[in-house]
Amino acid sequence: MKPFELQSFEQRVVFGEDHLSTLLPLAQDFGMTRAMVLTTPGRTMGATAIAAALGERHFATFTGAVVHTPVEVTDRALNVLGDANGFISLGGGSAVGLGKALALRTGLPHIAIPTTYSGSEISPILGQTRDGKKTTIRDKRVVPQAVVYDVSLTLSLPLDLTVSSGFNAMAHAFEALYAPDRSPETDRFAVEAIAGFAQALPILVDAPRDWDARAMVLYAAYLSGRVLAARTMGLHHKLAHVLGGLYDLPHAPMHAALLPHVIRFNEAAAREQLRPAADALGHESAAEGLEALALKLNAPRHLAALGMPLDGAGVAAELVMQNPALNPRAYGASDIEKLLAAALGS
Ligand code: NAD
């Protein structure tokens, strides 16, 4: 067996159905007597329910979380922090990201209640933007102390976001399979996650509120978060970071449009590592399996349709090459330009 190393983080994970009744004892355990609830503008009703469930332990609610965690938004939230002594984030990666940024600045505990499949709630990664430039850190201080998964919160996730967020999570699992620091444990998690998405996402196309399928997708997202937290991501995540920063593309749809192209590129050098993913998708090749799944789910397939300029590949390739990611297949600027030309889709 290949030697491996695994860094894990102290975190309580509750996977269940009733976040409101789970929350109060958790808030007590983490000494939150004045909790600040964080969310995006679209999730205010959920935040109000949490405030009511917290009762006297609720101190304030901030509903201004936005994508890419701009530092100005974190500053604004800090201005209303008062003497709050903990954060509860409700929402997708944007709300969770704000909770992580605030925890980093204050050292206060953070309970995350994710409602998408981003996996951010598990990872020690925080991407923040200042003046349109995104920088990413890996720091154990941003790992939420507790995560509460509640399947019922995901029933309202619109189908298009369900599919693209699922692809965002699958990207973590795919890149973990060929990571230079992969291990048997993360391989197993990654393959189980891919199989879960492949089985349950198509069910949600016809029945978006199917409880069992929603539960399977949420669990797959949790596993994907675990491997994102533990393993070094490759070219796909590098490209997503660069394109997100350069062209402000919507996060999850951009992952969906890119992933089959990157996997096609990398499969030439990582066929064996990707074989279990191909099997889970029921195809000879992992890239073909992903393309077929993307078609079946009507996933976003063209970066141009998401707002990437048709002549934007050159600048992106230059930026990628300034600080290349570890990747199973070596690449140069012309490879990136070719890959992006295909993903642009014109
Ligand atoms: P998001 O959090 O921006 O949510 C997208 C939209 O969906 C928002 O309008 C939100 O209000 C709405 N929404 C969320 N859950 C919903 C639900 N259950 N029902 C109905 N509407 C719902 O999107 P995201 O893709 O989850 O997160 C993107 C952000 O997360 C980016 O900033 C990205 O960089 C970050 N991210 C970080 C990590 C990490 O490990 N640090 C990993 C993945 C993503």
Side-chain angles (χ1 to χ4, degrees):
M1 176 166 311
K2 189 175 161 287
F4 69 89
E5 198 180 312
L6 188 71
Q7 168 72 57
S8 54
F9 304 97
E10 206 175 309
Q11 187 177 54
R12 188 146 12 137
V13 174
V14 183
F15 193 98
E17 299 179 359
D18 182 1
H19 66 290
L20 293 178
S21 63
T22 310
L23 198 53
L24 197 57
L26 269 182
Q28 272 162 359
D29 286 358
F30 290 106
M32 291 187 194
T33 49
R34 293 178 301 281
M36 183 168 172
V37 179
L38 311 167
T39 196
T40 39
R43 307 277 80 217
T44 48
M45 264 170 63
T48 305
I50 287 177
L54 286 172
E56 288 182 347
R57 287 177 187 268
H58 176 250
F59 173 77
T61 297
F62 180 85
T63 59
V66 294
V67 71
H68 301 316
T69 325
V71 286
E72 312 85 77
V73 173
T74 308
D75 290 342
R76 229 179 292 141
L78 276 172
N79 282 337
V80 290
L81 179 68
D83 60 352
N85 59 5
F87 307 107
I88 296 173
S89 62
L90 170 79
S94 297
V96 175
L98 176 60
K100 291 165 105 171
L102 288 168
L104 182 66
R105 298 248 207 128
T106 62
L108 291 172
H110 173 202
I111 301 172
I113 309 176
T115 63
T116 68
Y117 309 125
S118 80
S120 176
E121 67 281 358
I122 300 288
S123 89
I125 302 163
L126 171 64
Q128 300 181 97
T129 43
R130 186 188 290 276
D131 302 328
K133 194 172 180 308
K134 188 164 181 174
T135 46
T136 300
I137 57 161
R138 224 175 217 275
D139 189 318
K140 66 179 181 192
R141 289 174 297 171
V142 306
V143 178
Q145 278 64 27
V147 181
V148 179
Y149 289 99
D150 181 343
V151 177
S152 71
L153 289 172
T154 62
L155 298 179
S156 59
L157 196 61
L159 188 60
D160 57 345
L161 192 49
T162 297
V163 167
S164 35
S165 195
F167 268 79
N168 183 187
M170 269 194 284
H172 311 330
F174 269 90
E175 292 232 293
L177 282 176
Y178 53 56
D181 47 4
R182 60 196 281 255
S183 68
E185 183 186 5
T186 52
D187 280 359
R188 258 205 346 264
F189 282 4
V191 174
E192 191 178 343
I194 293 164
F197 286 121
Q199 188 182 330
L201 283 175
I203 297 172
L204 294 177
V205 172
D206 294 323
R209 297 179 69 86
D210 183 295
W211 185 277
D212 291 340
R214 280 284 177 194
M216 190 180 278
V217 171
L218 191 60
Y219 180 61
Y222 158 66
L223 293 175
S224 302
R226 288 284 299 270
V227 299
L228 167 70
R231 295 295 167 240
T232 304
M233 297 288 110
L235 176 60
H236 174 87
H237 282 76
K238 180 80 202 176
L239 278 168
H241 177 86
V242 165
L243 294 177
L246 255 182
Y247 303 122
D248 198 21
L249 306 183
H251 184 81
M254 168 187 64
H255 273 276
L258 261 181
L259 188 63
H261 296 279
V262 179
I263 297 306
R264 182 165 287 287
F265 178 80
N266 277 342
E267 199 164 24
R271 191 163 291 278
E272 276 318 300
Q273 294 96 309
L274 288 169
R275 190 170 303 285
D279 292 344
L281 292 164
H283 277 255
E284 270 298 298
S285 130
E288 279 168 22
L290 261 180
E291 279 157 15
L293 186 64
L295 264 181
K296 197 193 285 185
L297 300 174
N298 197 19
R301 299 184 62 233
H302 301 311
L303 291 171
L306 300 176
M308 179 167 166
L310 289 178
D311 60 356
V315 189
E318 229 173 80
L319 274 179
V320 168
M321 294 314 295
Q322 278 175 14
N323 181 16
L326 285 172
N327 192 59
R329 181 170 169 188
Y331 57 84
S334 65
D335 299 308
I336 303 296
E337 285 192 47
K338 251 188 258 163
L339 190 158
L340 288 178
L344 261 163
S346 57

